[in-house]
Amino acid sequence: MDMPTVAIVGRPNVGKSTLFNRLVGKKLALVDDRPGVTRDRREGDVRFGGLHFRVIDTAGLEESDAATLMGRMRMQTEAAILAADVVLFVIDARAGVLPADQPFAELVRRAGCPVILIANKAEGGTGLSGAYEAFTLGLGDPIPFSAEHGEGLGELHEALKGVLPKPNPEDDDEDEDAPGGRSLKVAIVGRPNAGKSTLINRMLGEDRLLVGPEAGITRDSISLDWEWRGRKIKLHDTAGMRRRARIDDKLEKLAVSDGLRAVRFAEVVVVLLDATIPFEKQDLTIIDLVESEGRAVVIGLNKWDLVADQPGLLKQLREDCTRLLPQVRGVAVVPLSGLAGEGLDKLMQAVVQAAEVWDKRISTSRINDWLSEATSRNPPPAVSGRRIKIRYATQVKSRPPHFALFGNQLNALPKSYTRYLVNGLREAFELPGTPIRLSLRTSQNPFDKG
């Protein structure tokens, strides 16, 4: 079968070439802040998490006469769209949807091939409002993305996997279409010397990874295939994550960034704590990072055999977890010992359950029944004598569960009330431990007086 083709299209200066370089893994395309740097189609081969395809970087789409240079550039881009199996339509999330995006969105729709909408330049959560505006293009759910920083790669991989022709198993190093189904991607992270490699060796039943009493032995993010109860698992062992100010060695800086990439590609992240010194500041920072990346979380209390004789300790640590980590309320906290091989089955049960919650979809009717009850029980406050009104809610995506609220003056909604809503969603729809995203969409109708 011929290699499938993916075309990257969009207005000038939305970050198409940066995305192209990110996918091919090399700086093949010239990148500059000035628009219009790319003039011709540039092609490259991509191997991306078991996917293999050819990607085409195109000139920015602009309305121009066919006889002009800009017009010829546009014709090259249109030819790439017609030849593509999949189109990545890129917008600038910080600028939002501009009038110039609409005709080209229509052009892409008419091409008849699958389209993945990418809201680029949304690093660190900036530009999310622009990303949500992208719904108006009618090209499906936008992926908040940062080509420059590599944020959103996991979501892009999942989207491509759903629309690209199935790869030849001989070319697929993940063999995700083999019997047993797709591999569940699990990253093991934590501070240095928390016992990550020892735990994975015990899971695999062999000394696959180098271990020892010294902290920081693992420098690479190692990917390993495993099977648990017939379920295919892809394990990622990562270098210990230390506070940035303490990282002096260049190799270790690279290793920590590799660990961050492993988190972004994972579906479930096991944060391994040392049970003898749990919930150190760095542990909380790592869990916060995983939550901010939108990954399902499970907390493993490793070396539990050293503290198991302390009565009431597990209950106390679970209470500490609830108090210290409200953003992942209800997260599974599993005692285990990688060295002794204890608690591994319970850990994996928690991992699979966390993945199911992370991927959960809830019908709009159920969400609005809950919303009506929640706002009746505790109405939103008034602003300048006018009550905030939430009219409607829906789930816009899963992985993690992401909900949008529509109404008037929602930008004035206090954080305490949004916390009330998030906690209510978590409890009503059984979403323990997973990150929950909430977007507020205020009506733009000037005649809408609520």
Side-chain angles (χ1 to χ4, degrees):
M1 183 178 68
D2 291 336
M3 196 187 309
T5 301
V6 175
I8 303 174
V9 304
R11 286 186 295 103
N13 215 30
V14 294
K16 298 184 297 298
S17 294
T18 306
L19 173 58
F20 174 87
N21 287 341
R22 174 71 63 180
L23 288 172
V24 298
K26 302 174 187 175
K27 291 188 177 179
L28 294 180
L30 189 63
V31 175
D32 195 88
D33 288 337
R34 293 166 296 178
V37 172
T38 302
R39 288 185 167 177
D40 207 337
R41 287 181 285 174
R42 185 180 295 273
E43 300 184 6
D45 287 352
V46 176
R47 288 188 178 274
F48 182 25
L51 303 177
H52 190 196
F53 55 90
R54 177 165 291 273
V55 66
I56 303 175
D57 184 25
T58 65
L61 285 162
E62 288 187 288
E63 292 281 7
S64 300
D65 185 83
T68 65
L69 173 62
M70 291 302 300
R72 294 196 301 275
M73 288 161 59
R74 177 181 166 167
M75 288 171 64
Q76 284 283 318
T77 297
E78 289 183 12
I81 292 171
L82 292 172
D85 295 293
V86 179
V87 169
L88 304 184
F89 191 95
V90 185
I91 68 159
D92 182 338
R94 290 179 295 196
V97 174
L98 299 184
D101 288 310
Q102 295 288 354
F104 300 120
E106 182 61 31
L107 173 70
V108 169
R109 268 199 303 272
R110 285 201 306 268
C113 64
V115 181
I116 297 171
L117 181 57
I118 294 178
N120 193 30
K121 306 184 185 180
E123 52 266 16
T126 60
L128 281 181
S129 60
Y132 301 133
E133 282 182 29
F135 279 106
T136 62
L137 293 171
L139 297 176
D141 290 358
I143 298 175
F145 199 84
S146 171
E148 187 173 355
H149 300 284
E151 296 177 16
L153 281 170
E155 289 81 357
L156 177 57
H157 180 269
E158 287 297 318
L160 283 167
K161 190 166 59 178
V163 294
L164 282 172
K166 297 299 180 194
N168 187 330
E170 293 178 2
D171 296 332
D172 187 357
D173 57 2
E174 291 189 0
D175 197 19
E176 292 188 346
D177 296 308
R182 186 181 62 80
S183 295
L184 175 64
K185 301 179 186 69
V186 180
I188 313 287
V189 305
R191 287 184 289 115
N193 218 25
K196 299 180 290 296
S197 298
T198 302
L199 172 63
I200 290 182
N201 280 344
R202 177 63 70 168
M203 287 173 159
L204 298 174
E206 59 175 300
D207 292 335
R208 170 65 178 78
L209 301 174
L210 184 64
V211 297
E214 305 87 357
I217 288 178
T218 302
R219 276 180 164 165
D220 297 316
S221 174
I222 313 257
S223 176
L224 301 160
D225 291 311
W226 183 51
E227 195 168 294
W228 176 78
R229 293 190 180 181
R231 178 75 183 264
K232 294 176 65 181
I233 309 288
K234 182 168 280 294
L235 291 170
H236 292 268
D237 183 28
T238 62
M241 295 182 177
R242 293 197 288 175
R243 193 156 48 86
R244 191 175 298 277
R246 293 186 181 173
I247 300 175
D248 300 317
D249 180 65
K250 183 179 179 184
L251 266 176
E252 191 173 350
K253 286 183 180 177
L254 290 172
V256 169
S257 66
D258 208 32
L260 294 177
R261 280 196 296 274
V263 168
R264 288 168 181 154
F265 274 108
E267 295 163 289
V268 182
V269 178
V270 175
V271 182
L272 208 58
L273 311 188
D274 184 332
T276 64
I277 44 170
F279 296 117
E280 295 276 286
K281 183 179 179 182
Q282 185 62 7
D283 295 327
L284 302 180
T285 301
I286 292 169
I287 294 168
D288 198 48
L289 165 75
V290 175
E291 191 278 338
S292 68
E293 289 293 335
R295 300 297 174 255
V297 187
V298 171
I299 295 175
L301 292 172
N302 196 26
K303 308 181 186 179
W304 187 254
D305 49 326
L306 303 180
V307 296
D309 58 346
Q310 300 181 33
L313 178 61
L314 182 58
K315 181 182 177 183
Q316 178 61 51
L317 291 178
R318 284 177 170 153
E319 290 173 355
D320 290 346
C321 180
T322 300
R323 175 174 54 84
L324 295 168
L325 298 163
Q327 70 273 38
V328 286
R329 185 182 299 274
V331 65
V333 179
V334 183
L336 60 100
S337 169
L339 193 61
E342 298 169 356
L344 303 191
D345 212 47
K346 288 184 178 177
L347 176 69
M348 289 310 302
Q349 287 177 33
V351 164
V352 171
Q353 288 168 6
E356 290 172 354
V357 170
W358 186 66
D359 200 24
K360 196 168 189 177
R361 279 275 185 184
I362 302 153
S363 71
T364 298
S365 61
R366 289 182 63 204
I367 295 169
N368 283 284
D369 287 346
W370 162 82
L371 179 65
S372 176
E373 185 180 332
T375 52
S376 296
R377 188 167 56 243
N378 181 12
V383 177
S384 302
R386 182 184 172 206
R387 184 166 294 283
I388 296 172
K389 186 167 184 181
I390 305 172
R391 291 189 174 77
Y392 177 76
T394 188
Q395 183 176 358
V396 293
K397 63 180 291 190
S398 58
R399 308 165 67 89
H402 190 150
F403 302 89
L405 301 182
F406 299 83
N408 72 307
Q409 300 190 101
L410 296 190
N411 54 346
L413 208 59
K415 286 187 177 178
S416 59
Y417 197 82
T418 60
R419 277 197 302 270
Y420 161 72
L421 293 174
V422 167
N423 289 336
L425 285 163
R426 194 182 294 284
E427 185 176 339
F429 300 112
E430 298 179 346
L431 301 170
T434 196
I436 291 178
R437 302 290 185 253
L438 195 64
S439 301
L440 307 177
R441 305 296 306 277
T442 296
S443 171
Q444 301 299 315
N445 185 352
F447 301 102
D448 181 4
K449 301 300 182 186

